[in-house]
């Protein structure tokens, strides 16, 4: 019987036994790397990367063919050296992920994602002690730039991974090979006292795709402590070679995500709704603060075009913004100081978009759960969600004004009626306060607004909400509501009062968007 050491040909099958979604994504990453290698050779740009083996990429398999079994070490070394590079700025660069090398700022953002998922352990990479900085230069912002801090990388585990795949004679390794979290995030030994017995081991045909899962997957950072790993479902290797570059973020604002649902929907808007994507969330836990553990998984198959179009509307209204620091604004406006060539800013992302993305993934109305969000505290910032949502009032107002976002006419009617009612009620309060004492007008309106919000948030049943909204509509001075629309909304309240409570609070928050949003952001900064 012929052993694997005597074989010169290895066939890696996409749907072979034991191939998980991460293995298939890794095989897709290997196909992308080989395609980039071949493309560089044909164009003449890759003369330094001539490959000492032949390969064939089919729709469901990759075949590697060596001239001699002893060429395995040389072949794998050159393949890994091409596939896992570090550019001149000290940033990880994976040619299989791009059509052409991107700016260093994009690589710095992607490297932040690698360090929170694949390369989070100190033994899997070597980083400089001090931070360096590169910047996104926004084409539409003119003189704006967004700095990105990072630590230069001089080595990472995948670069020397080929050594684990060969034996002492330079041939393919025949024994199962032990894997760790640097090539399979989350994998670990089961018992520390029995490392050899409880370690996870894989054969060569499955561990080679695992090394290239760094190329096939997309790792993104939520913040300094939370990372999201997107694992695309690869069904056709030829198709995935075209899809993988489109999976990357295209702008500086897309390099940060809010949660797994937001990351998946953003990726689907770029690469297509039909691509299935799994996600894994990594973050520290109370029992293991030193590492980022897998805390949540999310699997999303193909979505319909309506869901993607709704998320595109949401993203346009609640997209990340570039905000200047207060000190920079003052310095640039001063006549006695030199105006900088580029004005520094930082990215501020939405709070609401994470809730909406989860609702769209779960096939719920996009505003579901808004009322509970208005009474909770953000665990990341320690601030109340309702205080942070106020900064997005203008975006929410734009969102509810878009016809395509509503699934039923009753939703749009109810929001419009409540906003008209609150406008009439508060205008009456304001005119009365101005007549008595001009300075008390803002506080009087503020109290009236808070009373409405508290009453809506505290409603616990259908009859309470119906009574409250009926009273609000009757007290208002609005004459835009017809009896037909009024009865239509009352029927909607009877049908699903929880959704109506969410819509009522949403309408109230959108009403408060008359204060300049940018001014509030500068004050908070």
């Amino acid at each position: 019987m012929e052993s694997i050491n005597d074989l010169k040909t290895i066939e890696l099958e996409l749907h072979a036994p034991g191939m998980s979604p991460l293995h298939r994504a890794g095989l897709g990453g290997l196909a992308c790397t080989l395609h980039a290698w071949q493309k560089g050779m044909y164009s003449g740009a890759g003369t330094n990367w001539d490959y000492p083996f032949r390969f064939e990429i089919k729709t469901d398999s990759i075949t590697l063919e060596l001239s001699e079994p002893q060429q395995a070490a040389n072949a794998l070394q050159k393949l890994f050296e091409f596939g896992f590079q570090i550019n001149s700025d000290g940033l990880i660069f994976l040619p299989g992920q791009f059509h052409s090398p991107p700016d260093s700022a994009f690589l710095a953002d992607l490297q932040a994602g690698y360090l929170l998922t694949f390369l989070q352990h100190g033994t899997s990479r070597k980083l400089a002690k001090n931070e360096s900085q590169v910047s996104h230069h926004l084409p539409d912002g003119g003189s704006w730039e967004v700095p990105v801090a990072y630590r230069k990388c001089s080595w990472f585990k995948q670069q020397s991974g080929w050594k684990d795949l060969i034996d002492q004679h330079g041939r393919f390794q025949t024994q199962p090979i032990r894997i760790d979290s640097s090539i399979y995030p989350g994998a670990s030994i089961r018992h520390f006292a029995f490392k050899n017995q409880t370690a996870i081991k894989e054969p060569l045909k499955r561990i080679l795709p695992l090394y290239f899962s760094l190329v096939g997957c997309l790792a993104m950072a939520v913040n300094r402590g939370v990372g999201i790993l997107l694992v695309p479902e690869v069904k056709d290797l030829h198709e995935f070679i075209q899809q993988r570059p489109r999976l990357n973020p295209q702008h500086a604002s897309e390099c940060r995500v809010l949660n797994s649902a937001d990351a998946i929907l953003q990726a689907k808007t770029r690469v297509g709704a039909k691509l299935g994507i799994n996600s894994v969330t990594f973050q520290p836990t109370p029992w293991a603060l030193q590492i980022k553990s897998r805390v949540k998984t999310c699997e999303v198959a193909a979505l319909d075009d309506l869901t993607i179009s709704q998320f595109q509307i949401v993203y346009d209204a609640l997209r990340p913004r570039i905000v200047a620091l207060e000190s920079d604004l003052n310095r640039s406006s001063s006549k006695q100081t030199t105006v900088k060539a580029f004005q520094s800013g930082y990215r501020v992302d939405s709070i609401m978009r994470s809730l909406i993305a989860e609702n769209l993934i779960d096939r719920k109305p996009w505003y579901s759960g808004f009322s509970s969000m208005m009474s909770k505290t953000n665990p990341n910032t320690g601030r109340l969600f309702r205080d942070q949502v106020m900064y997005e009032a203008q975006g929410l107002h734009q969102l509810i004004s878009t016809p395509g976002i509503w699934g039923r006419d009753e939703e749009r009617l109810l929001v419009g009626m409540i906003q008209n009612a609150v406008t009439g009620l508060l205008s009456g309060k304001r005119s009365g306060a101005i007549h008595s004492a001009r300075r008390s007008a803002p506080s009087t309106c503020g109290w009236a607004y808070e009373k409405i919000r508290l009453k809506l948030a505290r409603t616990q049943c259908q009859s309470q909400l119906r009574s409250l909204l009926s009273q609000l509509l009757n007290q208002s001075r609005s004459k835009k509501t017809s009896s037909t629309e009024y009865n239509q909304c009352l029927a909607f309240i009877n049908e699903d009062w929880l959704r109506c409570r969410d819509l009522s609070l949403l309408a109230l928050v959108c009403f408060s968007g008359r204060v300049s949003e940018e001014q509030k952001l500068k004050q908070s900064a």
Side-chain angles (χ1 to χ4, degrees):
M1 180 178 178
E2 193 177 29
S3 69
I4 192 171
N5 262 14
D6 299 325
L7 292 176
K8 295 185 294 185
T9 303
I10 295 179
E11 185 174 6
L12 307 171
E13 298 179 4
L14 190 61
H15 302 291
M19 294 288 284
S20 68
L22 188 66
H23 289 85
R24 291 193 288 272
L27 194 60
L30 176 59
C32 294
T33 303
L34 292 172
H35 177 75
W37 202 356
Q38 190 177 44
K39 184 180 175 183
M41 287 289 294
Y42 288 157
S43 65
T47 54
N48 296 329
W49 300 104
D50 57 323
Y51 38 85
F53 57 88
R54 292 186 296 176
F55 64 87
E56 183 181 7
I57 303 174
K58 298 179 181 177
T59 57
D60 59 351
S61 67
I62 296 176
T63 304
L64 303 178
E65 183 178 355
L66 304 173
S67 57
E68 295 293 336
Q70 295 83 355
Q71 291 294 321
N74 184 40
L76 289 179
Q77 181 180 1
K78 289 198 172 184
L79 174 62
F80 277 56
E81 286 179 352
F82 174 80
F84 306 110
Q85 301 180 31
I86 295 175
N87 74 355
S88 58
D89 287 327
L91 288 161
I92 295 174
F93 170 53
L94 310 175
Q97 290 186 341
F98 309 97
H99 287 306
S100 58
D103 294 337
S104 290
F106 279 99
L107 293 179
D109 277 324
L110 293 178
Q111 181 167 294
Y114 302 147
L115 299 181
L116 291 168
T117 53
F118 285 96
L119 305 175
Q120 59 174 284
H121 200 278
T123 58
S124 62
R125 73 285 197 277
K126 291 182 180 177
L127 301 178
K129 291 184 179 179
N130 299 322
E131 285 190 341
S132 301
Q133 181 174 299
V134 289
S135 298
H136 291 283
H137 296 287
L138 305 183
D140 55 344
S143 60
W144 282 88
E145 68 173 10
V146 180
V148 183
Y150 71 101
R151 293 165 63 190
K152 290 185 177 180
C153 180
S154 57
W155 171 84
F156 59 101
K157 173 73 178 289
Q158 278 75 3
Q159 287 187 304
S160 57
W162 61 273
K163 296 179 181 178
D164 297 333
L165 309 183
I166 60 172
D167 61 13
Q168 57 184 350
H169 302 295
R171 302 185 180 193
F172 287 123
Q173 181 63 263
T174 57
Q175 300 298 321
I177 303 163
R178 178 177 168 179
I179 64 174
D180 57 23
S181 60
S182 62
I183 59 174
Y184 198 119
S188 62
I189 59 174
R190 296 181 182 178
H191 199 294
F192 191 77
F194 303 97
K195 293 181 180 178
N196 292 329
Q197 294 86 345
T198 61
I200 302 175
K201 297 181 181 179
E202 292 275 20
L204 176 67
K205 287 191 175 182
R206 289 207 296 270
I207 199 169
L208 184 57
L210 279 182
Y211 270 102
F212 284 87
S213 58
L214 185 68
V215 181
C217 300
L218 176 64
M220 305 193 73
V222 175
N223 51 41
R224 286 179 176 270
V226 182
I228 304 288
L229 179 64
L230 297 182
V231 184
E233 187 59 60
V234 180
K235 297 180 179 178
D236 186 320
L237 293 174
H238 289 165
E239 186 179 351
F240 187 70
I241 289 173
Q242 304 302 321
Q243 290 174 331
R244 181 59 189 87
R246 300 203 308 269
L247 195 62
N248 298 319
Q250 306 298 318
H251 305 285
S253 59
E254 297 175 353
C255 293
R256 289 285 189 273
V257 294
L258 296 170
N259 57 12
S260 58
D262 181 50
I264 290 174
L265 287 175
Q266 284 196 46
K268 280 180 173 287
T269 55
R270 294 192 293 265
V271 74
K274 303 304 179 187
L275 178 66
I277 299 178
N278 305 312
S279 74
V280 186
T281 304
F282 291 84
Q283 71 178 49
T285 54
W287 57 89
L289 295 174
Q290 73 280 12
I291 61 172
K292 284 78 179 175
S293 306
R294 292 182 293 187
V295 298
K296 182 180 180 182
T297 59
C298 181
E299 181 179 354
V300 180
L303 293 176
D304 55 273
D305 294 335
L306 177 62
T307 303
I308 297 299
S309 64
Q310 280 189 327
F311 180 75
Q312 189 62 56
I313 295 171
V314 172
Y315 192 81
D316 291 340
L318 304 174
R319 65 172 54 247
R321 296 149 292 176
I322 309 300
V323 180
L325 292 171
E326 196 74 30
S327 57
D328 287 341
L329 291 176
N330 294 334
R331 182 165 43 189
S332 61
S333 60
S334 173
K335 296 181 180 179
Q336 297 179 355
T337 58
T338 302
V339 178
K340 295 190 301 182
F342 285 96
Q343 197 173 55
S344 297
Y346 62 95
R347 288 167 282 194
V348 176
D349 213 342
S350 166
I351 297 295
M352 271 296 296
R353 205 176 69 243
S354 60
L355 173 70
I356 297 174
E358 288 183 346
N359 286 332
L360 291 177
I361 291 290
D362 294 337
R363 310 298 175 93
K364 297 178 181 177
W366 59 270
Y367 49 83
S368 294
F370 184 76
S371 57
S372 62
M373 194 174 182
M374 295 295 285
S375 60
K376 291 183 179 178
T377 302
N378 188 344
N380 296 324
T381 62
R383 300 175 58 188
L384 293 172
F385 276 118
R386 66 170 180 268
D387 293 337
Q388 295 179 288
V389 169
M390 293 300 177
Y391 298 130
E392 304 180 53
Q394 288 185 350
L396 289 172
H397 182 73
Q398 176 187 339
L399 184 60
I400 65 171
S401 304
T402 307
I405 198 63
W406 298 114
R408 298 177 55 175
D409 287 340
E410 289 84 354
E411 298 170 335
R412 179 180 54 80
L413 280 176
L414 182 62
V415 169
M417 287 173 58
I418 292 173
Q419 287 201 318
N420 290 335
V422 173
T423 301
L425 185 64
L426 294 189
S427 62
K429 294 283 185 184
R430 183 181 290 109
S431 60
I434 291 175
H435 181 72
S436 58
R438 184 175 295 274
R439 289 185 179 180
S440 65
S443 61
T444 302
C445 293
W447 272 113
Y449 176 88
E450 278 300 305
K451 284 174 65 177
I452 298 172
R453 185 189 67 78
L454 287 172
K455 287 181 178 178
L456 285 173
R458 290 173 178 172
T459 51
Q460 298 295 324
C461 62
Q462 174 188 329
S463 59
Q464 283 184 0
L465 184 68
R466 181 187 173 100
S467 173
L468 177 61
L469 291 184
S470 301
Q471 186 180 6
L472 178 64
L473 296 177
N474 291 331
Q475 286 181 352
S476 69
R477 298 182 177 183
S478 173
K479 298 180 180 178
K480 300 179 181 178
T481 305
S482 66
S483 58
T484 305
E485 293 174 341
Y486 183 80
N487 293 329
Q488 194 173 353
C489 288
L490 288 182
F492 186 36
I493 296 171
N494 294 334
E495 177 185 338
D496 193 342
W497 72 275
L498 290 173
R499 288 175 63 180
C500 293
R501 185 178 64 175
D502 292 331
L503 285 170
S504 304
L505 284 164
L506 179 65
L508 197 63
V509 170
C510 296
F511 177 82
S512 67
R514 296 184 175 183
V515 180
S516 170
E517 188 177 2
E518 292 300 325
Q519 184 179 357
K520 285 183 175 181
L521 286 170
K522 290 169 188 173
Q523 290 173 356
S524 67

